[in-house]
Amino acid sequence: MLAKLRTFSLVGIDALPVDVEVDLSPAAQPKTVLVGLPEAAVRESTHRVARAMVNSGFFRPQDRLVINLAPAELPKQAASFDLPMTLGILAASGQCSADRFAEFAVVGELSLEGAARTVRGALSMAMAAARQEGVRGLVVPRANAAEAAVVEEIDVIAVDSLIQAVGFFAGQIEIDPAPSRVDQWFDSFAQYDVDYGDVRGQELVKRAMTIAAAGSHNLLMVGPPGSGKTMLAKRLPTILPPMQAAESIETTRIYSATGRLPPNQPLMGRRPFRSPHHTISDAGLVGGGSCPTPGEISLAHNGVLFLDELPEFNRRTLEVLRQPLEDGCVTISRALRSTTFPAEFMLVAALNPCPCGYRNDPRRRCQCSTQQVERYMGKISGPLLDRIDIHIEVPAVAFKELAADRAGLGSDEMRTLVDQARIRQRDRFQGQRTRRNSQMTTRQLGKFCPLGADAMDLLRTSVQELGLSVRAHDKIRRVARTIADLEACDSIQPSHVSEAINYRLLDRTL
């Protein structure tokens, strides 16, 4: 007897449809043959499936079982095939009704006692089920139900065990679809525990942070140890606009596929903040592996990637950031398959001005020679620095500012300015792929960033004196456009260009 079910295989962060075909035929000895390019986790599942059936009160067929996972050329990995394979075996042996198999796709791992365990990528699988013709719903382990229910176009059926799944497909148990509470989850998970009001002093740096957030510009902070660089960076997501539904779903897919979605949180409500250690590998940063998985730049998608102690990172590791910074995505190519992951993030980096960290600090004497400073700064390539829009100095905070009773500018006030600037950008780029000033093409620069004679003279002088590249020239104009948006100006004034030029600290000092 032949049974056929629908399920999904996770490739990167995308779920691809897979048909599970189970054929039962008489044989002298029981044997299970699993075909369709299964990886180790899937091959081992035959033993879990056999014991789960027996421990759930069913019998294992004593005949020849052939389980085909189609399409055959697609590698199958992870344990999410346990539940559909078991239901197929039970249906082929007459222990389970197959009437509903055509309407519902099934995913889930099984324990030896038959309990349904959580799987990765439930949201991507639900989205794929919604696109598949003829599929009315998706049967998932209960731990994945809230995540899958984000997709409102299908019925998400939550099951706790193999017995419950069999009862549902037999029509003996009616299970209501899991409700979608997207609005409630946004309210619950979109709150931040930190605020820029906690940061004493550094008002000029907060200004640079506001500009960076308004135009989605990359930012580099240079300052001595303990000046507040990490504290400032961690609060950057609090002034970014709230995540839209599409952004949240795209980010949640990445975290779900990598198994990093926080427990009891079916949806990412806050913009991600990733801060990898400087010992990270190339694959850990941009993604990789024999079966490509997302790296830190994809985990920071729609959020912030913070690289502290930038010169301590391996130079080759930093160089792989250059293409994702330009394209907003990264493609991992292997012999059999290429996988593209989204990587649209704000890069925030921090470094000390010298190896000891106290160069130009009036309170501490720097012990570094000129050669040591040049060697230290030379660990960062010019092309990478060129891709960072804003370079800002973060000086040590004076005791007077630390002891002041009055709090500084808070996240709410900064976010209000950012939101107003983002609204102007939304109106400016309506109907175009570009959404923020940092993404403007060369043609759009000419259209949206015209400069008057005084502003053009100022920019020309700076480019000639500092030896700026074409990319740095364009970034100054983009930052100037953002500064004008923050001040609700339709045209870019010389003061806006002057401020943007002042944010090229490393071009002026190195």
Side-chain angles (χ1 to χ4, degrees):
M1 184 176 177
L2 177 67
K4 183 176 179 180
L5 295 88
R6 303 188 193 194
T7 187
F8 299 94
S9 178
L10 199 63
V11 179
I13 63 171
D14 297 317
L16 302 181
V18 172
D19 289 334
V20 178
E21 300 172 335
V22 181
D23 181 72
L24 183 65
S25 58
Q29 293 183 341
K31 184 176 182 180
T32 301
V33 180
L34 184 59
V35 297
L37 215 56
E39 301 290 344
V42 184
R43 291 196 301 269
E44 292 173 352
S45 66
T46 56
H47 305 292
R48 288 193 302 272
V49 163
R51 297 316 305 167
M53 282 191 295
V54 174
N55 292 330
S56 298
F58 302 100
F59 66 88
R60 182 187 183 280
Q62 300 300 305
D63 294 315
R64 177 183 173 88
L65 274 172
V66 178
I67 304 174
N68 179 40
L69 305 177
E73 72 274 6
L74 178 68
K76 319 298 189 306
Q77 55 183 344
S80 60
F81 295 96
D82 286 7
L83 186 55
M85 285 168 51
T86 307
L87 290 171
I89 294 171
L90 294 176
S93 59
Q95 302 178 72
C96 172
S97 172
D99 294 342
R100 286 183 167 182
F101 283 177
E103 296 180 297
F104 290 88
V106 185
V107 295
E109 180 183 346
L110 290 177
S111 68
L112 295 182
E113 63 182 0
R117 288 179 170 168
T118 182
V119 297
R120 294 183 178 185
L123 177 56
S124 294
M125 294 177 182
M127 294 172 67
R131 292 191 299 266
Q132 198 167 12
E133 187 177 354
V135 174
R136 175 182 139 200
L138 179 67
V139 177
V140 299
R142 187 168 298 280
N144 292 114
E147 176 190 341
V150 170
V151 182
E152 300 176 347
E153 291 81 6
I154 60 169
D155 294 339
V156 176
I157 306 299
V159 296
D160 295 305
S161 63
L162 173 61
I163 295 176
Q164 192 175 15
V166 171
F168 171 75
F169 280 104
Q172 299 170 352
I173 302 175
E174 288 300 326
I175 303 176
D176 293 329
S180 178
R181 301 189 178 97
V182 175
D183 294 336
Q184 177 184 333
W185 293 329
F186 263 117
D187 293 338
S188 302
F189 303 127
Q191 306 301 317
Y192 293 94
D193 301 326
V194 294
D195 191 281
Y196 270 114
D198 305 332
V199 181
R200 299 291 180 173
Q202 306 297 10
E203 296 303 311
L204 292 178
V205 185
K206 290 182 184 179
R207 163 71 174 176
M209 287 282 185
T210 304
I211 295 169
S216 195
H217 300 290
N218 301 320
L219 181 140
L220 174 70
M221 294 180 286
V222 184
S227 58
K229 300 185 294 294
T230 302
M231 193 175 184
L232 287 159
K234 285 184 175 179
R235 284 154 177 76
L236 183 57
T238 67
I239 64 173
L240 293 172
M243 292 185 79
Q244 301 298 315
E247 293 178 320
S248 178
I249 289 173
E250 195 171 27
T251 305
T252 303
R253 288 179 61 206
I254 299 170
Y255 278 74
S256 174
T258 56
R260 297 173 185 265
L261 200 60
N264 302 318
Q265 182 176 335
L267 200 63
M268 296 288 291
R270 291 184 291 191
R271 293 191 178 274
F273 178 87
R274 304 295 301 180
S275 180
H277 192 260
H278 62 258
T279 56
I280 192 171
S281 65
D282 301 3
L285 187 62
V286 300
S290 55
C291 295
T293 56
E296 288 290 337
I297 63 173
S298 295
L299 292 170
H301 181 59
N302 290 320
V304 177
L305 176 68
F306 178 52
L307 302 183
D308 199 6
E309 304 297 342
L310 188 65
E312 301 301 329
F313 282 79
N314 184 290
R315 179 162 179 157
R316 178 185 165 186
T317 302
L318 291 178
E319 292 306 297
V320 299
L321 284 175
R322 287 159 60 173
Q323 178 264 330
L325 281 173
E326 294 286 336
D327 298 342
C329 63
V330 59
T331 299
I332 310 297
S333 298
R334 294 293 179 263
L336 298 178
R337 177 179 292 273
S338 293
T339 306
T340 299
F341 298 123
E344 194 172 304
F345 58 91
M346 278 186 63
L347 174 64
V348 178
L351 71 155
N352 296 326
C354 65
C356 78
Y358 296 104
R359 185 185 181 204
N360 298 328
D361 190 334
R363 303 175 306 171
R364 300 282 293 270
R365 182 181 176 185
C366 175
Q367 304 294 331
C368 304
S369 66
T370 303
Q371 291 80 6
Q372 287 176 311
V373 174
E374 290 177 351
R375 192 181 307 116
Y376 177 75
M377 300 301 293
K379 294 179 180 180
I380 312 168
S381 72
L384 179 62
L385 287 177
D386 224 19
R387 287 169 166 81
I388 300 179
D389 310 56
I390 298 174
H391 312 159
I392 185 72
E393 185 176 6
V394 185
V397 182
F399 177 78
K400 179 178 65 175
E401 294 179 323
L402 288 175
D405 294 332
R406 187 174 63 87
L409 195 63
S411 293
D412 289 341
E413 298 96 320
M414 296 169 69
R415 192 188 311 112
T416 299
L417 294 173
V418 170
D419 289 342
Q420 291 171 355
R422 289 286 182 107
I423 290 173
R424 294 178 68 88
Q425 293 171 61
R426 184 189 63 197
D427 296 339
R428 176 182 302 127
F429 302 124
Q430 192 168 15
Q432 303 179 54
R433 292 184 60 184
T434 302
R435 292 180 296 166
R436 294 180 285 274
N437 288 338
S438 63
Q439 302 170 335
M440 278 192 287
T441 64
T442 304
R443 182 176 298 177
Q444 289 171 331
L445 276 176
K447 180 179 180 181
F448 298 122
C449 303
L451 300 179
D454 293 342
M456 184 63 75
D457 289 342
L458 181 60
L459 181 57
R460 182 185 301 109
T461 302
S462 300
V463 169
Q464 292 172 352
E465 291 183 356
L466 300 178
L468 299 179
S469 67
V470 174
R471 181 183 288 113
H473 163 274
D474 290 348
K475 287 191 176 297
I476 288 174
R477 294 180 67 177
R478 292 186 182 102
V479 173
R481 177 68 267 174
T482 301
I483 296 171
D485 288 341
L486 285 169
E487 297 182 3
C489 289
D490 293 330
S491 61
I492 298 175
Q493 302 300 317
S495 60
H496 305 149
V497 175
S498 177
E499 184 176 359
I501 292 171
N502 285 333
Y503 289 133
R504 303 299 297 184
L505 169 70
L506 296 184
D507 291 327
R508 290 187 284 111
T509 57
L510 293 182

